[in-house]
């Protein structure tokens, strides 16, 4: 059993650019033959606990990035045939357990990596040729950035496996202050965040923390004053980086396979979604949603109201998915206790 301490969120919600993708019912008797193992020379000889913990397709590029526990970020530009380490010449290498990647929507060559068990946030402005550590914050899971500000000054971070731990920076990450102490007492782990602007954020509360025999409270908390106060907007306990779709809708998985919840008003109200999907989906070009249920893909064409099986089985039960619009390739990955073969599979769509 892989302990969640070192594993990134189940699904990374990558932004996808570009045209439509046709989703057609598949009837082949051996659809698994479409999947190709593409980990190859990824990550070096030895991986940390958790193995591949995240993948992200760079918007507007054929580059796909994989985060490997204690081994940094690696990129492929040929569909996984070869991998190269990003920031290979940096004096301070990324050696955490990667949890999230956020691309700047105006320039995807600028992006941030957050990770736990070590220095918590790194930033690149040259597409990953080099990285600089952001402040002295450590042990980070979720990261949110105010992209309405051209200077990217407001950052909000949730710390790994810590309750009421949310921190905020107003100077691009140079300095940090705790705002999680404004959450109600006896709330659970607050490690994931969403940032809408300099004042408006969402923070989760979910996990295994207890007060004696009582599990600490689950919920979603919203602030409109930059973290001076929070109001509870849901009793659900979401987990992992949420999908913010192109239409502004938010999809967030709830812990312990309790299903998806959805908000269409920046998190003020939430509704549960029925159906088989229990994990954070990704969005495909054209607005369709895609997620995995065990090793089967499911697609939704109606904003999560209904889901239909799509294609044949993935060769393994994935920890997450990402889609490269430039190469029309779907990548699935699984986290492992150590380095293994066949941890990343690629399906190149016709």
């Amino acid at each position: 059993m892989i302990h969640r301490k070192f594993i990134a969120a189940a699904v990374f919600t990558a932004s996808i650019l570009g045209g439509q993708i046709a989703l057609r019912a598949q009837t082949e008797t051996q659809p698994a033959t479409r999947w190709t193992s593409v980990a190859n020379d990824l990550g070096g000889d030895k991986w940390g606990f958790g193995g591949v913990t995240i993948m992200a397709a760079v918007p507007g590029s054929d580059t796909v990035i994989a985060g490997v526990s204690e081994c940094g970020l690696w990129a492929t530009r040929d569909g996984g045939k070869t991998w190269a380490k990003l920031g290979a010449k940096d004096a301070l290498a990324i050696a955490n357990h990667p949890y999230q990647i956020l691309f700047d929507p105006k320039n995807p060559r600028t992006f941030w990596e957050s990770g736990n068990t070590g220095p918590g946030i790194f930033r690149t402005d040259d597409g990953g040729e080099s990285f600089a550590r952001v402040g002295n914050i450590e042990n980070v899971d979720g990261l949110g950035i105010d992209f309405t500000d051209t200077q990217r000054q407001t950052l909000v971070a949730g710390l790994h496996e810590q309750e009421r731990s949310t921190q905020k920076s107003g100077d691009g990450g140079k300095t940090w202050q705790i705002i999680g102490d404004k959450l109600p007492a006896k709330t659970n782990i607050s490690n994931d965040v969403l940032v809408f602007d300099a004042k408006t954020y969402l923070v989760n509360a979910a996990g295994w923390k207890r007060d004696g025999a009582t599990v600490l409270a689950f919920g979603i908390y919203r602030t409109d004053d930059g973290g001076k106060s929070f109001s509870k907007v849901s009793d659900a306990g979401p987990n992992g980086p949420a999908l913010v779709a192109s239409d502004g809708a938010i999809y967030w998985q709830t812990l312990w396979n309790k299903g998806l919840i959805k908000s269409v008003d920046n998190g003020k109200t939430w509704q549960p979604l029925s159906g088989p999907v229990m994990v954070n989906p990704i969005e495909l070009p054209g607005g369709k949603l895609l997620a995995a249920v065990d090793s089967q893909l499911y697609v939704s064409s109606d904003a999560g109201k209904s889901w239909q099986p799509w294609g044949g089985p993935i060769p393994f039960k994935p920890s997450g998915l990402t889609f490269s619009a430039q190469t029309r390739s779907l990548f699935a990955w699984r986290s492992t206790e150590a380095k293994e073969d066949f941890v990343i599979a690629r399906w190149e769509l016709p």
Side-chain angles (χ1 to χ4, degrees):
M1 178 66 68
I2 299 176
H3 195 281
R4 70 178 297 273
K5 180 177 181 181
F6 298 118
I7 302 300
V11 176
F12 173 76
T13 53
S15 298
I16 304 296
L17 303 180
Q20 303 285 325
I21 176 171
L23 302 180
R24 298 183 293 272
Q26 307 297 327
T27 58
E28 289 85 349
T29 57
Q30 293 183 327
T33 57
R34 278 184 288 217
W35 292 94
T36 305
S37 177
V38 293
N40 298 322
D41 56 348
L42 171 69
D45 295 331
K46 185 179 180 180
W47 300 351
F49 195 92
V52 177
T53 59
I54 196 170
M55 290 190 72
V58 179
S61 169
D62 58 3
T63 300
V64 175
I65 298 171
V68 182
S69 176
E70 301 179 20
C71 299
L73 301 182
W74 295 66
T76 180
R77 296 174 177 84
D78 55 14
K81 295 177 183 177
T82 59
W83 295 84
K85 187 173 184 179
L86 298 180
K89 297 181 180 180
D90 289 344
L92 178 62
I94 297 175
N96 55 27
H97 300 266
Y99 187 89
Q100 191 171 359
I101 294 173
L102 285 178
F103 294 101
D104 192 308
K106 296 295 184 182
N107 176 19
R109 287 180 59 80
T110 293
F111 61 88
W112 292 256
E113 181 265 3
S114 65
N116 56 66
T117 318
I121 303 174
F122 289 82
R123 171 176 170 161
T124 180
D125 292 300
D126 55 17
E129 292 292 328
S130 61
F131 290 86
R133 185 180 179 185
V134 177
N136 61 1
I137 191 169
E138 295 195 357
N139 210 30
V140 174
D141 280 349
L143 176 66
I145 299 171
D146 174 21
F147 288 120
T148 68
D149 170 24
T150 58
Q151 300 302 309
R152 314 314 192 209
Q153 291 295 292
T154 300
L155 282 69
V156 181
L159 302 190
H160 181 62
E161 294 195 340
Q162 296 185 39
E163 66 269 28
R164 306 177 72 219
S165 64
T166 312
Q167 296 197 26
K168 168 189 172 181
S169 173
D171 55 15
K174 295 177 183 177
T175 61
W176 294 83
Q177 65 182 86
I178 295 175
I179 59 173
D181 57 356
K182 305 302 189 298
L183 293 167
K186 298 185 179 181
T187 57
N188 223 301
I189 295 167
S190 52
N191 66 321
D192 288 301
V193 300
L194 279 174
V195 172
F196 300 104
D197 56 46
K199 298 291 186 181
T200 311
Y201 330 135
L202 296 177
V203 177
N204 77 324
W208 48 267
K209 290 291 183 80
R210 292 175 176 268
D211 180 18
T214 303
V215 177
L216 297 183
F218 281 24
I220 301 174
Y221 295 85
R222 192 176 193 272
T223 179
D224 295 308
D225 56 17
K228 295 179 182 178
S229 64
F230 287 87
S231 59
K232 192 174 190 179
V233 293
S234 173
D235 290 325
N239 170 256
L243 167 65
V244 181
S246 56
D247 63 358
I250 305 169
Y251 300 86
W252 216 346
Q253 69 184 20
T254 53
L255 198 60
W256 316 135
N257 290 324
K258 297 293 181 63
L260 283 178
I261 55 175
K262 177 181 178 180
S263 175
V264 295
D265 55 10
N266 283 355
K268 294 178 182 177
T269 61
W270 294 85
Q271 299 79 38
L273 296 177
S274 60
V277 172
M278 302 290 172
V279 298
N280 291 325
I282 63 172
E283 184 179 15
L284 297 173
K288 291 181 172 64
L289 304 179
L290 186 70
V293 179
D294 293 324
S295 60
Q296 176 62 55
L297 294 172
Y298 278 77
V299 68
S300 175
S301 301
D302 55 10
K305 295 178 182 178
S306 63
W307 296 85
Q308 295 77 40
W310 183 47
I314 306 168
F316 47 75
K317 181 179 179 179
S319 301
L321 306 169
T322 194
F323 181 74
S324 170
Q326 293 295 113
T327 63
R328 294 178 57 82
S329 297
L330 180 66
F331 293 80
W333 80 91
R334 63 185 180 96
S335 293
T336 55
E337 294 187 5
K339 184 169 183 176
E340 293 184 16
D341 295 329
F342 211 171
V343 295
I344 301 176
R346 186 191 78 238
W347 177 11
E348 186 173 347
L349 278 66

